[in-house]
Amino acid sequence: MAGSLSKSSLFSGLRFHSQKAEPALHLPHRGYHIELGAREKALLEEDPALKKFKSYKNTVKRVSKIGDVLTVIVVAACSYEIYAVAATRGEQSQP
């Protein structure tokens, strides 16, 4: 009997806490909009000293495409080799 009382009191306590927390779930997660200060605006502006480092993006894309093509070629070559070995073993097993 004492076990059932503790369970019911536990569930009522959970229900009470869930009802309390319900309004908090409806609050916006991002908070209120605050205008950026002078320092934040300065940090978000483009820096002319860093312009020379932005050219690497095209190089990275090109290297990535070359890597993708090489990966496809290697997978195709390995698949062909596996097929060729299986075909030659199949021919050798048939008299």
Side-chain angles (χ1 to χ4, degrees):
M1 187 80 141
S4 66
L5 286 177
S6 65
K7 285 182 184 178
S8 65
S9 65
L10 175 67
F11 289 131
S12 66
L14 288 174
R15 192 174 341 128
F16 178 70
H17 288 298
S18 68
Q19 289 172 354
K20 248 183 166 179
E22 190 174 315
L25 295 174
H26 297 294
L27 291 176
H29 292 283
R30 294 185 62 200
Y32 297 103
H33 177 70
I34 298 173
E35 194 63 37
L36 296 177
R39 182 170 184 242
E40 288 87 3
K41 287 181 182 178
L43 288 172
L44 291 174
E45 288 179 6
E46 286 197 25
D47 191 1
L50 298 176
K51 282 214 181 241
K52 65 179 180 179
F53 296 109
K54 290 192 177 189
S55 64
Y56 75 94
K57 289 182 182 179
N58 292 333
T59 306
V60 169
K61 287 180 184 178
R62 187 178 303 133
V63 169
S64 177
K65 286 181 183 178
I66 291 171
D68 291 344
V69 169
L70 288 176
T71 301
V72 169
I73 291 171
V74 167
V75 168
C78 290
S79 300
Y80 176 75
E81 285 294 322
I82 291 170
Y83 171 74
V85 168
T88 54
R89 284 188 182 171
E91 289 175 1
Q92 289 176 356
S93 66
Q94 295 175 354

